[in-house]
Amino acid sequence: MGDRHPHAQLIREFHDRQNRFYAGGEQQPVGALLAEDVTWHVPGSSALGGDHRGRDDVLGYFARRRELADATFRIDVRGVLSDGERTVVLARGEVQRGGETFAWGTVAIFRVADGRIAECWVVPHDQRAFDQIWASPAIGGSSLPPVA
């Protein structure tokens, strides 16, 4: 169990590919790591909340995050713990708007099947802040302080 498990390596590669996509790169390398019937569970009431089912819907969700963040969204993987059934990731997300940086922490729980990501549950540390950050194209409302 741990960071050297093949599933942990897959998830780290996935986040590297996601960051390249969010910075304006191609989406195909990200999609190649997703199962055809992948499901992404995103809690909350933001513009991104809900269950996204199937590769096309999940890739659409990723594209919406890139659009809302104006290609400034970054994920910093802080830790990965993996075994044969689940991979748990501790991460920090960050977007920039109007010269300010807005950040949040999440735990993501991944299920891998046949060498691809089959399911993910996103668990923000602070649901209210997460919802405010992703509320609209004007990311980061006035009631949410930016990260110093």
Side-chain angles (χ1 to χ4, degrees):
M1 179 155 60
D3 202 15
R4 293 181 184 233
H5 191 282
H7 293 173
Q9 294 172 1
L10 171 73
I11 298 303
R12 283 194 178 277
E13 176 62 24
F14 169 74
H15 281 94
D16 288 345
R17 291 181 186 193
Q18 262 196 321
N19 280 332
R20 288 192 294 273
F21 167 70
Y22 289 136
E26 295 295 318
Q27 192 176 52
Q28 187 282 330
V30 176
L33 298 181
L34 302 175
E36 185 66 35
D37 61 348
V38 63
T39 301
W40 221 265
H41 307 279
V42 183
S45 59
S46 75
L48 299 176
D51 288 339
H52 307 278
R53 299 181 189 281
R55 185 182 295 143
D56 289 342
D57 191 31
V58 170
L59 290 173
Y61 157 70
F62 295 158
R64 181 75 174 133
R65 290 199 308 192
R66 181 168 86 173
E67 175 189 330
L68 287 172
D70 196 26
T72 67
F73 179 36
R74 301 290 175 271
I75 301 169
D76 178 25
V77 174
R78 302 285 175 100
V80 179
L81 182 62
S82 194
D83 65 16
E85 293 184 32
R86 300 281 186 262
T87 299
V88 177
V89 175
L90 302 174
R92 179 179 186 271
E94 178 180 294
V95 297
Q96 296 175 10
R97 295 297 274 183
E100 295 180 309
T101 300
F102 298 89
W104 62 95
T106 60
V107 173
I109 304 157
F110 291 87
R111 182 174 60 83
V112 175
D114 298 323
R116 294 186 182 204
I117 297 168
E119 199 160 12
C120 178
W121 294 263
V122 177
V123 184
H125 297 176
D126 182 339
Q127 186 66 56
R128 182 179 160 273
F130 184 83
D131 284 345
Q132 285 182 323
I133 288 167
W134 292 111
S136 69
I139 292 175
S142 60
S143 64
L144 182 67
V147 175

